């Protein structure tokens, strides 16, 4: 990859049945910022990029005939992935409380994981699973 490559190397791409609602939720509940939006002809969102700190998470509209077979957990009735995002240890309880008041479904409240870090896990309204953790990549 060479020295010219720096910064983010992995860009998660999630599918949502209602991307505009997902953007509103992710911004409100988790504090993500909109970086880029491509609007669809019907006024919803076809594709968006959200900033999580200095990293991007992509989200795209769910299409029945998605060429990659990717779908919203709402469509799949479950999910095949979870995203883990670092939050300073001292902010986790407040982060969880805010997420919960913003309609996140808490799946596992703040606890010390087997790896010895504090974390909590929740699901967004369409069922994507998000873990917020003090894990710093060590």
């Amino acid at each position: 990859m060479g020295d010219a490559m720096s910064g983010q190397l992995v860009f998660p791409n999630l599918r949502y049945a209602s991307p505009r609602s997902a953007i509103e939720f992710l911004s409100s509940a988790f504090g993500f910022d909109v970086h880029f939006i491509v609007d669809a002809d019907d006024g919803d969102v076809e594709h968006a990029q959200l900033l999580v700190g200095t990293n991007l998470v992509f989200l795209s509209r769910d299409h029945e005939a998605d060429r990659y077979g990717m779908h919203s957990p709402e469509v799949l009735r479950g999910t095949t992935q979870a995203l883990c995002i670092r939050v300073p240890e001292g902010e986790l309880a407040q982060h969880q409380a805010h997420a919960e008041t913003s309609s996140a479904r808490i799946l596992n409240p703040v606890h010390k994981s087997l790896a010895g870090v504090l974390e909590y896990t929740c699901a967004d309204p369409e069922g994507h699973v998000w873990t917020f953790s003090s894990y710093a990549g060590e």
Side-chain angles (χ1 to χ4, degrees):
M1 296 240 185
D3 292 333
M5 197 79 176
S6 64
Q8 185 171 343
L9 299 177
V10 176
F11 297 83
N13 191 344
L14 307 173
R15 296 295 193 265
Y16 282 92
S18 180
R20 191 162 311 279
S21 294
I23 291 167
E24 291 171 12
F25 171 82
L26 295 169
S27 298
S28 171
F30 303 152
F32 296 177
D33 293 313
V34 174
H35 177 68
F36 180 80
I37 290 180
V38 175
D39 289 313
D41 291 338
D42 66 0
D44 206 335
V45 172
E46 191 61 41
H47 175 78
Q49 299 174 5
L50 302 181
L51 275 166
V52 182
T54 59
N55 294 281
L56 291 172
V57 172
F58 296 172
L59 61 92
S60 299
R61 187 179 203 170
D62 189 287
H63 291 280
E64 185 176 329
D66 186 280
R67 74 175 64 196
Y68 306 113
M70 294 175 62
H71 296 286
S72 162
E74 190 172 72
V75 172
L76 295 172
R77 295 191 181 121
T79 188
T80 60
Q81 63 186 347
L83 284 84
C84 184
I85 298 181
R86 184 170 183 260
V87 172
E89 187 172 302
E91 297 176 19
L92 276 166
Q94 181 180 0
H95 194 280
Q96 175 186 300
H98 181 74
E100 193 167 19
T101 62
S102 298
S103 301
R105 186 168 40 96
I106 304 302
L107 303 173
N108 196 1
V110 173
H111 66 282
K112 190 170 190 172
S113 74
L114 294 175
V117 298
L118 285 182
E119 65 185 24
Y120 81 93
T121 302
C122 64
D124 68 27
E126 287 199 28
H128 285 288
V129 175
W130 300 85
T131 295
F132 294 92
S133 172
S134 63
Y135 178 71
E138 39 305 308

